[in-house]
Amino acid sequence: MKSTTDLLNIIKNSKDEALKQTIDTIKEMSFSEYFDYLCRIKEVSRSDIIKQTNLSRTYAYQIFDGSKKAGRDKIIQIALALKGSLKETERLLKLSGHSPLYSKIRRDAVLIFAIEHQLTAIAANELLDDFQFECLE
């Protein structure tokens, strides 16, 4: 799989036919595929994620396989359990149909801090509470 930067450079410098060939090689990932990919590279099991997020097992597996659409806070909880980077978290959010975190929104700024410092969901909720923001639900 090519990096985003490599792919962008190829697209910028392509002629019409090369662009078509490049476009044909791009495989768009679903939330489920990207989640599974992150679990593999981070060597985390689905059951570990469930334990750390306190999601019900059935609901969690429905989110993981894409049959249920989770709310933005649930996706953030999953990303925290994965110890995902900000970039990985934002990609999970986008693939699940949610807006990325925005640093000019105060609650999002606290969540960005939690992600960057690899806090647990519980620690992130404590931090949100300290700043009198709604906890992750």
Side-chain angles (χ1 to χ4, degrees):
M1 178 165 39
K2 293 182 185 340
S3 73
T4 305
T5 304
D6 291 342
L7 196 54
L8 185 58
N9 286 331
I10 291 169
I11 293 168
K12 284 181 179 179
N13 298 316
S14 290
K15 303 293 182 210
D16 287 343
E17 187 55 35
L19 176 61
K20 183 184 179 333
Q21 291 173 352
T22 301
I23 295 297
D24 289 342
T25 66
I26 298 172
K27 181 184 180 307
E28 293 184 13
M29 239 185 228
S30 68
F31 172 84
S32 301
E33 291 169 324
Y34 188 59
F35 171 76
D36 288 339
Y37 166 76
L38 290 177
C39 285
R40 268 193 318 278
I41 64 167
K42 293 178 180 296
E43 299 177 352
V44 177
S45 71
R46 289 177 168 202
S47 60
D48 291 336
I49 302 297
I50 292 168
K51 287 175 193 167
Q52 292 180 47
T53 58
N54 287 326
L55 295 172
S56 81
R57 189 171 195 75
T58 304
Y59 181 57
Y61 277 100
Q62 290 171 336
I63 294 168
F64 300 158
D65 71 18
S67 62
K68 279 265 196 235
K69 182 179 176 182
R72 188 172 187 255
D73 282 358
K74 296 292 184 215
I75 301 300
I76 293 168
Q77 286 178 315
I78 290 168
L80 287 166
L82 280 166
K83 301 272 184 231
S85 68
L86 181 59
K87 186 175 181 178
E88 292 164 341
T89 301
E90 291 192 337
R91 186 158 188 206
L92 283 170
L93 286 166
K94 287 178 189 176
L95 290 172
S96 63
H98 297 290
S99 61
L101 294 165
Y102 186 54
S103 59
K104 289 189 175 182
I105 296 174
R106 294 172 33 178
R107 183 174 185 264
D108 282 5
V110 172
L111 291 169
I112 290 168
F113 177 90
I115 292 163
E116 286 295 316
H117 290 85
Q118 297 195 333
L119 300 181
T120 64
I122 292 169
N125 275 335
E126 289 172 356
L127 191 60
L128 286 166
D129 189 54
D130 288 346
F131 284 94
Q132 299 177 342
F133 293 119
E134 186 177 316
C135 291
L136 294 169
E137 294 183 10

